[in-house]
Amino acid sequence: MDYNILIGGSAGQGMETISSILEKILQKRRYEIFTTRDYMSRIRGGHNFIQIRFSIDKITSHSDKLDLIVALNEETIDIHKKRLKNKGIIIGEKDFNYNDKKFMGIPLNEISKKIGNLRVKGSIAVGSVLKLFGFNNDFIMDILKKTFKKDELITVNMNAIEEGFNCLEKIFDVPKGNSKDKILINGNESIALGAIAANCKFYSAYPMTPSTSIMTYIASKMEEAQIVVEQAEDEIAAINMAIGASYAGVRAMTGTSGGGFALKVEGLGLAAMLETPLVIAEVQRPGPTTGFPTRTEQSDLKFIITSAQGEFPRMVISVKHPEDAFFQTVRAFNLADKYQIPVVIMNDQFLADYTTTVDPFDIDKVTRDRYIDNFIHGEYVRYKITKNGVSPRIIPGKIKDKLVLVDSDEHDESGHITESAEDRVKMNDKRMRKLDYLKDELIEPDFFGNKEADILLLGWGSMHGPLKEAVKELNILNIKTKALVFGDIWPLPTKLIQNEVKGINKIINVEQNATGQLNLIIKEVLCVSCTDSILKYDGRQLSAGEIVDRVKNIIKLK
Amino acid sequence: MDYNILIGGSAGQGMETISSILEKILQKRRYEIFTTRDYMSRIRGGHNFIQIRFSIDKITSHSDKLDLIVALNEETIDIHKKRLKNKGIIIGEKDFNYNDKKFMGIPLNEISKKIGNLRVKGSIAVGSVLKLFGFNNDFIMDILKKTFKKDELITVNMNAIEEGFNCLEKIFDVPKGNSKDKILINGNESIALGAIAANCKFYSAYPMTPSTSIMTYIASKMEEAQIVVEQAEDEIAAINMAIGASYAGVRAMTGTSGGGFALKVEGLGLAAMLETPLVIAEVQRPGPTTGFPTRTEQSDLKFIITSAQGEFPRMVISVKHPEDAFFQTVRAFNLADKYQIPVVIMNDQFLADYTTTVDPFDIDKVTRDRYIDNFIHGEYVRYKITKNGVSPRIIPGKIKDKLVLVDSDEHDESGHITESAEDRVKMNDKRMRKLDYLKDELIEPDFFGNKEADILLLGWGSMHGPLKEAVKELNILNIKTKALVFGDIWPLPTKLIQNEVKGINKIINVEQNATGQLNLIIKEVLCVSCTDSILKYDGRQLSAGEIVDRVKNIIKLK
Amino acid sequence: MENKNKFNVTDETAWCPGCGNFAIIDSLKNSLNELDLDPYKVLVVGGIGQAAKTPQYLNTNGFCGLHGRSLPPAVAAKIVNKELTVIINTGDGDAYGEGGNHFIHNVRRNVNVAHFVHDNQIYGLTKGQASPTTEKGQVTKVQTMGSVNLPMNPILLAISLGAGFVARSFSGRKDHLKEMMKKAIEYNGYALVDILQPCVSFNKVNTFQWYNKRVYELEKSYDEKDRLKAIEKSMEWGDKIPIGVIYKENKSSYTDNINFLSGEETLVDMSTSLDTVRGYIQEFK
Amino acid sequence: MENKNKFNVTDETAWCPGCGNFAIIDSLKNSLNELDLDPYKVLVVGGIGQAAKTPQYLNTNGFCGLHGRSLPPAVAAKIVNKELTVIINTGDGDAYGEGGNHFIHNVRRNVNVAHFVHDNQIYGLTKGQASPTTEKGQVTKVQTMGSVNLPMNPILLAISLGAGFVARSFSGRKDHLKEMMKKAIEYNGYALVDILQPCVSFNKVNTFQWYNKRVYELEKSYDEKDRLKAIEKSMEWGDKIPIGVIYKENKSSYTDNINFLSGEETLVDMSTSLDTVRGYIQEFK
Ligand SMILES: Cc1ncc(C[n+]2csc(CCOP(=O)(O)OP(=O)(O)O)c2C)c(N)n1
Ligand SMILES: Cc1ncc(C[n+]2csc(CCOP(=O)(O)OP(=O)(O)O)c2C)c(N)n1
Ligand code: SF4
Ligand code: SF4
Ligand SMILES: [Mg+2]
Ligand SMILES: [Mg+2]
C-alpha cells in the first residue's frame, strides 16, 4: 500500500496549511509519510505543489506517480495529469472547465460562500480527501486547534471539513496505519533541534532560502531555551559574530545557502586559523549565484571542501535524512570542540523541506563534549604545540590571570604575530596534524543492497532516501545492486569504498549536479573513477523511480 | 660569472632606494639581474633584506649563497653570515662591534655627518659596492636624477656615492655585461602593463599586499592613459563594480590577494552567470587568513578553481615570469571576451615583487579581440542558445532599441527569470559548453630539460624560474631531469603531461604549499599521482639550489 | 498602466496583489516617459529581493545582480557610459542591510545615479524578517522577542554622509512619487528617494493605512537647501511623516571631478594606444 | 610608560617611531588601570592594520580577527559574557571602510562595547592609500589624481545612526584621551571615540602639528545631551576641531533588551536541559 497525493495551486492559496493538516491526520492515523515541496521564488501566484505520499511501510523518497490530485486551480490539472496512475483521480472546484471521468468536482466556491469565509476552500478539500480514503473525523479537532488557535477559525474550518466530507464517497481502500508513535519533521528542523540539543547558545545568520527555517525554528525557542538568535547585517557579520561568541565560550553556529557561504569564506579560514570551534550549516540550492532560490541541488561540494585561501583542516558532513541531520549536528559540535576546527553541515533544499515520519530522536544518545579546561597550572598559551595538534582551550575571563590571545596572522604559541619561518612551519604542521586524528573518527558511508551486486551506486547526503528505495526496487527487479551513501564527506572516508569497488564493473555516481562532484573527489583521493553517472540539475529532486529507470537505461535493460 | 649581493637592515632604512639604484646601474651595465625581496609586515623596524643577483647569463632564480652582504645593521650580519661564500665579504658601518676578516667597515656615520645628511648612508654604501666590483661612476648621475628629482638631494647623494667609492678597493673581478637593452621589471608591473596594453579601462580594487602594486602602477598612468582606477570600499564592491563596468562595455579588471578573493567569490559566480567578461588577478601569500602578509606561497589553487556555489566555466592562468605575466594578462582579456567568462590570473608574492631583466615586451604581439556586435538584425536576446555556448554580446545604449537584460537568477534566452526545468538545463548546458571550446585553446605546460630523463619535475606559475635553473643544474650533475611547468592550470591541459609521465618512475611535484595542490588536481583529472613531493610553506621561496638539493635527497644521492 | 508608455513591456509580475511595488513601477515608467528618455539609453539595476525584480518588468536595459550589491555595478556602468540614465530600484534590506557599506560609500562617491529604495520596512522575498528600517519591538518569525535594534533613518543617514539629493515619497501618492523620481533622475549626482511601500504579505504594522494617515507633503515654504534644517526635518517620524525633497544641494559629481571623464567622450569610447604602452615599457629601461 | 601598570607587557611594537599609536596605547593602559579592571576580565579586539595590532601589545585577552571585521566578534563576545569589558581598537579603514556595514549596524545594535578608532585618515599598513576620512583632493599612490570622494564624518554619522556615546579625541592629548576612554568604557552601550592620530609615514597632510593647531576642548557649557546641537557641533571641521564628548544619551543596551540576558547570569553559563529538548521533539508528534 502506497498512496501519493498532490496538492497544487498558486502561492498564497494556503497549500501549506492544507497539506500540514492532512499530514498530521495521516501521522495520527499511524501511517509513514514522505512529503516534498515544490515552490517558486515568489510569495503569491505562480505554480506551487506539495506531494504527500503515505504508506504502512517506511518510505524514503517521493514518487512521480500520483493517486490523487487536489487542484486548487485548473493549471494544476494541466501540469500534473500526465502523472496520474490508471486509477488515479482529480478533485477540484466543480466549476472548473475540465471534462474527464477522472475528475470529481466539489462546489468549493458555493460551500465557502455558504460558510461565509472564502479562505476555507482548502479545508473543504481536506474533508473530501479524507472521505475518499474512508477516514472519519478523528483527530481533526485537535489538529485544527493547534493550527488556527482562534475559536472562530477553528469552527469554520471544522464546518468546512465536514462539508467536504459530504461531497464525495470513499474510493481508496487503505489498511489501517500501524507505525509506532512517530514524529513528523524535516531536515532543517532536525538540524535546529540538533543545535539546541548540543547546547548551542548563539546562532547568528542572515536570512537565505533554503536555510532560513533553521534560524526560524531556533528563534521560536529563543526565549524559552535561552539561545541568542541574532539576525546579522550580512553573512560576513554572521560568521564573525559566531566566531566571537565561540571564542567567548559558548557553542555557536551560523547557517546559510551557497551565496551566503561565499561571503563567509574568509570567516571560515579565520575560525580555522584562530582554532575556534564553529559549526556552519550550508543548505544548497541550484547555482550559480542566485540560481533557483527555492529548488534543490548538490553542487556546492567542491566549493565547500576547498574554500578559503591557504591550507587548514576542516570537516564536512553531508546529512542524509532528518534523524541523521539531528545526530550529525550534535556530533558536529562535538567534533568542532574536540579539534577546534570549523565543521560544515551540508544540506540541500530537498532534505531541508521534505517532511517524513521518524522515531522520536533519542535524547539519551546526545553527548556534549566541550574539551574546555577549567584549571591551568603555570603559564597558559593558546597555541601550545601538541602531539595531536589540539592545544588546551580555556574560556577568557574564567580563570584568574590567564589570558587568551588569538590572531589571524601567523603566530607563535602565545598567539603573538611571528615572522619566523620555523614558527610558521610548526604552527602549520600543528594545525594540519589534527587531520590525522580526525580521519580515525570518520564514519564510513551507509551501505545498502546486495553484497553480491554487479552495480555499485554512489551518492551523498540527501540522496540517501531515494537511493535506498531505488536499490530495494532494483534488487526486486533482479538487478543486483548495492549502494554507498556518504555522510562524512571531507575528509573522505576511504575504507569501505575501497572494498566495495573491487570487481565491480558498473560504478555509478548518483548526484543532483551537472559535473558529478562526488566522482571528482573520489578520483582525487583514490584514483577511482565512476563508469557512469546519473546526474540531474534542473532543480527537481531525483526520485527512487527515476534512479531505477536510469540505471536500467545504463545497463540497456529498458 | 654570477654574483649575489644581500642588502639588509630594518624597514625604513631606505633599502628599497639603495637596491633600486644598484639594480639600475647593473642594468645599464648590461648585466642580467634577478632581485628578490624579503619584507616583514611593518613600515619601520624589524628585519628586511633584498638580494640582488647579477650575471652575464640569463638567470631565473635567486640563490642562497652570498658574495657580498651590505649590512645596514649588525643583526643583518648575524642572520646572514652563514650563507656567505668562502670568498664572500661583508661591508657595514665601521663602528659595528664585529670582528672578522671578512668584514670591511665603512665610516658611514662619520661621512654622512660630514655631508650633513644622515639619510645618505645608503648611497655611501652604494659607492663602496660599486668600487668592490671595479665599476666607475658611469650612469649614476642619470639614475640619481630620476630617483631623487630635487637638485639638492641629487647632489648630496652623488657626493655620498663618491665618498663611498673612496672607502674600499676593488675585490671582485667581473667581466663586462653584454646583454641586450633590457627592461627591469617585476611580475605585478607586468600584469599592470598587460592590462593597459589590453585596453583595460576600469580597475577597481581594495588594497591588499602583495597585489596592491598592480593598482599602484595602473594608477600612476590613470590620467595619461585615461583609465579609471577606483579604490572600492571593500573587495565585494570592487568586483561588483568591475562587473558593472564590463557590462557597460569596457574591459574591466579587479585584483587582490587570497583574503580579498574570498570576499569576491560571490561576485565571481555572478560574472559567470551574467556571462560578463571579467579578469581578476589573485596574488597569493601564505594563509590561512591574514597569514604572512608580505611573504610567498602557492596555496590558493584548489580554492580558486572551485570557488563559488554552483557550477560554471572559468579559466585560471598562473603566470610564470614577468614576460609571461604581461602576455597572459592580455590573453586573459581576450579569452574573457571570447567566452564571456571570468578569467583569474594567479600570481604570488615571489613573482609579484622579484625584478629581473627581460627583453622589452613586443607590443606588436598584442591583439585586442573584443567579440562585440555592433549591429543586430531583428530581435536581440542576451542569452541566445548557441552551439559553442557563447551568445552575441552588445553594449547597452549603443544600438538603438536593443536592450540588454542580465539576471543572476536562472533565466531564459531573453534574460528573464525562469522557473522552468527545461530552460534551466538548456542554460546550464549552454554555459558549460563553453568549456569544450576553451579546452582547445589551452596552452600546454612549458617543457625543459632532458627528453630521456628518469625524473619529471612538475610545477606551476612562478616556480618556473627556480625550476628552470634547477633542471639545468641537475642535468649538468648528470641527474637526468625534465620538468613541466603549468601556466594554464584550469581547465588543466592534459596532452603533454600524459606523454611525459610515460615510463617515468620519479614524478615530483615542486610547490610552495603544504598539501601539493597541483598533484591533487592532476590526480582528479588524470588519475596520475606524483611519487614524491618537494614542498615548502614557510613563506620563503624555494630557490634553484634548494630544489637541486631536495631532488638529490629524494634519489638518495647526497 | 497606460499602454502607450514606451517603458511598458509586461503586466505579469511575481508580486502579491495589493503590493506597493505596482504603484512604484507605474510611477517609474511614467517618470521615464515624461522625461522622454529612450529605453535603450536607460539602465535599471536591482539587487535581489521583491523590489529588485523591477528591471524584469521594464522595457529598458536591466541588471539584476546580487543581493545587497546593486550600487557598485550601477555606479560603475554610469562611470563607463554617462550617456546612460542609471537608476537603481531595490529593497530596504538590499540597500541598507546587506548593501549598507555600498550605500554609505556611494553617497561619498557621488556618481550621477538615482537610487529608489522600496522601503517596506521588512524582508519581503525571504518571508518577513526585520529589515534595518523595521520598528523596534516588531515581532517576526526570526525576531520572536521583537526587534531590538534601533531602526535606521535612511534620510538622516544620507544627509549626514553628504548626499546632495535626499527625498522621501510613498507608493500611495503616485504623482508625488513620479515627481520625486523625475527630480532624482535629473539631479546631477547620487540621488536617494526612500519610498514608503506597504508589503501586504509580511508587514502588518506599516500598512497602506498606516502610511497614508501619516505622510504629508512638505510645505511650500520648506527650504530644502538648509542642511541643518533638513536634518531636523529628517528626524520627524511617527505620527507625521514628511514626504518630498528633504535636502538638495548642487555639487559636482564623480565624472565632473575626473578630468578625462568630464568631457563629451565617454570612457567606453576611449582607447589607450599601443604606442603609449610601448612608451611605458621603455620606461623600465 | 609606567612600569607598574598591570596592562603593560612589552615595549616592542611594529609601529614607526613618532606614530600616534604609542600615545593611544599608553592612554588605553592608563584608563584600564585607573578603572582598576582586571586584565583577564578585559578583551581587546582588533581587525587588521597598524592600529589593529594594539591587542598584541597589551596584557589583556586579545582577538585580532579579519580586516574590517572587528565589531562582529567583539559584540558577540560581550553578548556571551557581559562580565568582560570589551574594547575595540582599530583603524579608520578597518572601522569605516571595509567594516562600514558593521559600524552602522552595530550602532543600531547598541551592545555595551567601547570602540576606539585610530583615525589617521589613511591606510597605514598597506602604505598610504586614502581611507574614508582622507580629505578630498589628497594625492596618494593610488589616488594619483587626488581623492575624489567626500570624506566621511564619523562623529556625525554615529550620532545620526542613534549612537548614545560619541566622542573625539587626539593622540596628542593623552590625558584628554584617557578620560574619553574611561567614559566610553563606563558607558552602557556602544560608545565611539574617534581618535585623531598622526601617521608619520604616510599622511603628510594631517600631521601632529596640523591636528595640534586645530583641536580644542569643548567648552564646559556645551550640552552633550542636545542631539541637534551635537549634530551641528559635529559638523565643525577645518580650522577648528572640537574634541570631547560630542553626544551622550543614556539608554538600554542590547543585553538589557533581552530578558534572559539582562539578569546576573551570563549566556556562557547557561545551559538548555536535555529534558527541554525532549519536549521540543515531542511537539513534532
Ligand atoms: C548573499 C545573499 N544573502 C541572502 C539572500 C536572500 N535574500 C534574498 S532577498 C532578501 C531580502 C529581501 O528584502 P529587501 O531587500 O527589503 O527586498 P523586498 O523583498 O522586501 O523587496 C534576502 C535576505 C541572497 N539572495 N543573497
Ligand atoms: C580582506 C582584506 N582586505 C585588505 C587587507 C589589507 N589591509 C590590511 S590593513 C589595511 C588597511 C589599513 O588601514 P587602517 O584600517 O586605517 O589601519 P592603519 O594601518 O592605518 O592603522 C588593508 C587594506 C586585508 N588584510 N584583508
Ligand atoms: S511579499 Fe510584500 S513586498 Fe513582496 S510582493 Fe508581496 S506584498 Fe510586495
Ligand atoms: S605607518 Fe603610520 S600608522 Fe602605521 S605605525 Fe607607521 S606612523 Fe603609525
Ligand atoms: Mg524590503
Ligand atoms: Mg588608518
Side-chain angles (χ1 to χ4, degrees), chain B residues 7-24 35-39 43-44 48-52 72 119 122-123 126 143 147-148 184 186 189 349 352-355, chain D residues 127 141:
Chain B
I7 302 159
S10 66
Q13 286 196 299
M15 258 170 303
E16 194 47 70
T17 315
I18 309 172
S19 58
S20 140
I21 293 172
L22 265 177
E23 276 185 294
K24 283 189 189 134
T35 306
T36 48
R37 288 160 174 84
D38 188 296
Y39 293 146
I43 306 303
R44 294 273 183 280
N48 292 356
F49 64 93
I50 297 176
Q51 282 184 206
I52 305 178
L72 298 180
R119 313 207 76 217
S123 294
V126 168
I143 291 166
T147 308
F148 293 108
L184 179 72
N186 70 29
E189 288 161 346
Q349 183 272 330
D353 291 341
Y354 82 66
T355 40
Chain D
K127 304 197 163 184
K141 285 204 168 154

Side-chain angles (χ1 to χ4, degrees), chain B residues 381-442:
Chain B
V381 288
R382 176 65 192 92
Y383 297 110
K384 199 176 167 61
I385 306 275
T386 60
K387 189 159 158 266
N388 67 0
V390 180
S391 314
R393 178 169 169 234
I394 67 171
I395 294 179
K398 285 292 181 189
I399 308 183
K400 189 151 173 54
D401 296 342
K402 304 295 176 208
L403 304 177
V404 185
L405 175 64
V406 298
D407 201 304
S408 72
D409 285 278
E410 193 55 275
H411 42 256
D412 60 19
E413 286 189 294
S414 71
H416 284 95
I417 298 181
T418 182
E419 293 266 5
S420 138
E422 205 184 321
D423 281 349
R424 157 68 177 180
V425 171
K426 274 194 201 150
M427 272 301 149
N428 211 57
D429 288 349
K430 161 191 147 55
R431 287 187 295 264
M432 296 304 271
R433 216 146 54 222
K434 300 176 187 178
L435 270 179
D436 301 336
Y437 293 81
L438 183 62
K439 278 182 184 157
D440 283 340
E441 308 221 17
L442 294 182

Side-chain angles (χ1 to χ4, degrees), chain B residues 145-421:
Chain B
K145 277 183 189 157
K146 278 192 199 149
T147 308
F148 293 108
K149 283 160 196 121
K150 284 196 200 140
D151 278 352
E152 189 195 306
L153 284 178
I154 297 167
T155 317
V156 292
N157 280 286
M158 192 67 210
N159 289 346
I161 290 181
E162 272 160 2
E163 291 276 359
F165 247 92
N166 301 332
C167 295
L168 299 176
E169 291 304 319
K170 174 175 166 183
I171 289 198
F172 300 107
D173 234 344
V174 291
K176 245 185 112 181
N178 59 0
S179 82
K180 281 185 294 174
D181 196 13
K182 295 204 168 183
I183 59 174
L184 179 72
I185 196 163
N186 70 29
N188 273 1
E189 288 161 346
S190 303
I191 290 173
L193 275 172
I196 301 176
N199 204 30
C200 171
K201 284 279 141 197
F202 195 94
Y203 188 90
S204 46
Y206 189 81
M208 185 161 194
T209 312
S211 71
T212 315
S213 52
I214 299 174
M215 174 159 58
T216 312
Y217 183 82
I218 303 179
S220 75
K221 305 299 185 193
M222 173 170 179
E223 185 163 12
E224 193 186 329
Q226 301 186 323
I227 304 172
V228 171
V229 176
E230 182 62 27
Q231 181 179 316
E233 54 273 25
D234 55 32
E235 287 85 351
I236 301 171
I239 191 168
N240 280 282
M241 289 185 88
I243 293 170
S246 174
Y247 165 85
V250 299
R251 284 185 156 180
M253 179 169 174
T254 184
T256 185
S257 184
F261 195 89
L263 293 166
K264 295 186 194 204
V265 166
E266 200 193 7
L268 179 79
L270 180 68
M273 186 64 154
L274 302 189
E275 305 191 45
T276 300
L278 180 68
V279 174
I280 310 167
E282 199 259 349
V283 188
Q284 297 164 95
R285 68 192 213 190
T289 57
T290 311
F292 268 164
T294 57
R295 303 194 178 276
T296 201
E297 195 159 280
Q298 298 185 296
S299 57
D300 297 350
L301 180 56
K302 286 189 74 189
F303 168 41
I304 302 294
I305 65 174
T306 59
S307 49
Q309 74 274 23
E311 297 168 304
F312 55 84
R314 82 192 75 193
M315 168 92 185
V316 181
I317 304 172
S318 65
V319 292
K320 292 178 287 199
H321 48 76
E323 190 182 16
D324 186 56
F326 175 80
F327 285 109
Q328 291 306 329
T329 303
V330 174
R331 176 167 167 257
F333 279 99
N334 288 336
L335 287 174
D337 270 348
K338 184 166 180 186
Y339 293 101
Q340 302 174 10
I341 54 170
V343 180
V344 183
I345 298 168
M346 289 187 76
N347 192 8
D348 53 36
Q349 183 272 330
F350 170 55
L351 171 53
D353 291 341
Y354 82 66
T355 40
T356 190
T357 38
V358 292
D359 289 331
F361 308 141
D362 184 355
I363 281 291
D364 297 335
K365 288 196 196 142
V366 169
T367 59
R368 296 170 171 180
D369 310 318
R370 294 299 316 269
Y371 305 93
I372 287 176
D373 288 339
N374 298 312
F375 301 96
I376 290 289
H377 298 286
E379 196 203 13
Y380 175 74
V381 288
R382 176 65 192 92
Y383 297 110
K384 199 176 167 61
I385 306 275
T386 60
K387 189 159 158 266
N388 67 0
V390 180
S391 314
R393 178 169 169 234
I394 67 171
I395 294 179
K398 285 292 181 189
I399 308 183
K400 189 151 173 54
D401 296 342
K402 304 295 176 208
L403 304 177
V404 185
L405 175 64
V406 298
D407 201 304
S408 72
D409 285 278
E410 193 55 275
H411 42 256
D412 60 19
E413 286 189 294
S414 71
H416 284 95
I417 298 181
T418 182
E419 293 266 5
S420 138

Side-chain angles (χ1 to χ4, degrees), chain A residues 27 181 184 199 201 221 223 225 230 233-234 241 364 368 397-398 400 403-404 406-408 416-417, chain D residues 38 40-41 56 59 61-62 64-65 76 101-102 105 109 254 259 267 269 272 278 280 283-285:
Chain A
Q27 182 190 17
D181 195 14
L184 179 72
N199 205 28
K201 284 279 142 197
K221 306 297 184 194
E223 185 163 10
E230 182 61 29
E233 54 273 25
D234 55 32
M241 290 184 88
D364 296 334
R368 296 169 171 181
K398 285 291 180 189
K400 188 148 176 56
L403 305 177
V404 185
V406 298
D407 201 304
S408 73
H416 285 96
I417 298 181
Chain D
D38 222 335
Y40 84 105
K41 291 281 191 193
Q56 290 278 323
N59 190 45
N61 294 293
C64 297
N101 210 33
H102 313 307
H105 291 287
R109 200 170 265 128
Y254 184 97
N259 58 19
L267 192 67
D269 293 325
T272 307
R278 195 175 277 120
Y280 295 162
E283 290 170 6
F284 287 87
K285 277 198 175 162

Side-chain angles (χ1 to χ4, degrees), chain D residues 79-230:
Chain D
I79 292 170
V80 166
N81 187 355
K82 59 182 185 172
E83 285 180 12
L84 294 174
T85 297
V86 178
I87 294 165
I88 300 102
N89 279 74
T90 203
D92 46 332
D94 196 287
Y96 309 138
E98 182 92 49
N101 210 33
H102 313 307
F103 173 51
I104 60 181
H105 291 287
N106 277 302
V107 173
R108 300 180 45 231
R109 200 170 265 128
N110 199 32
V111 180
N112 181 12
V113 298
H115 191 188
F116 300 149
V117 180
H118 304 210
D119 190 353
N120 54 10
Q121 305 188 249
I122 207 80
Y123 282 15
L125 188 58
T126 47
K127 304 197 163 184
Q129 303 80 17
S131 86
T133 51
T134 299
E135 309 273 349
K136 200 164 168 173
Q138 193 162 325
V139 172
T140 80
K141 285 204 168 154
V142 165
Q143 285 70 31
T144 52
M145 299 176 70
S147 176
V148 297
N149 294 344
L150 223 68
M152 174 189 283
N153 180 337
I155 303 287
L156 174 54
L157 192 58
I159 302 176
S160 300
L161 284 159
F165 184 100
V166 184
R168 183 189 281 123
S169 190
F170 168 42
S171 65
R173 301 282 163 92
K174 278 173 73 167
D175 280 334
H176 182 267
L177 177 54
K178 186 188 68 188
E179 291 310 317
M180 291 299 112
M181 286 178 159
K182 282 165 67 178
K183 285 186 179 169
I185 292 169
E186 287 183 312
Y187 176 75
N188 175 33
Y190 172 84
L192 174 71
V193 186
D194 187 75
I195 307 165
L196 305 173
Q197 172 231 334
C199 166
V200 297
S201 292
F202 297 111
N203 192 335
K204 309 292 182 181
V205 175
N206 311 103
T207 59
F208 183 92
Q209 288 71 24
W210 193 94
Y211 290 125
N212 201 38
K213 243 187 354 227
R214 287 168 170 79
V215 299
Y216 74 95
E217 288 189 30
L218 286 172
E219 319 78 59
K220 282 256 156 55
S221 62
Y222 178 78
D223 178 8
E224 62 193 24
K225 297 211 167 56
D226 183 332
R227 190 153 177 239
L228 203 61
K229 279 270 160 52

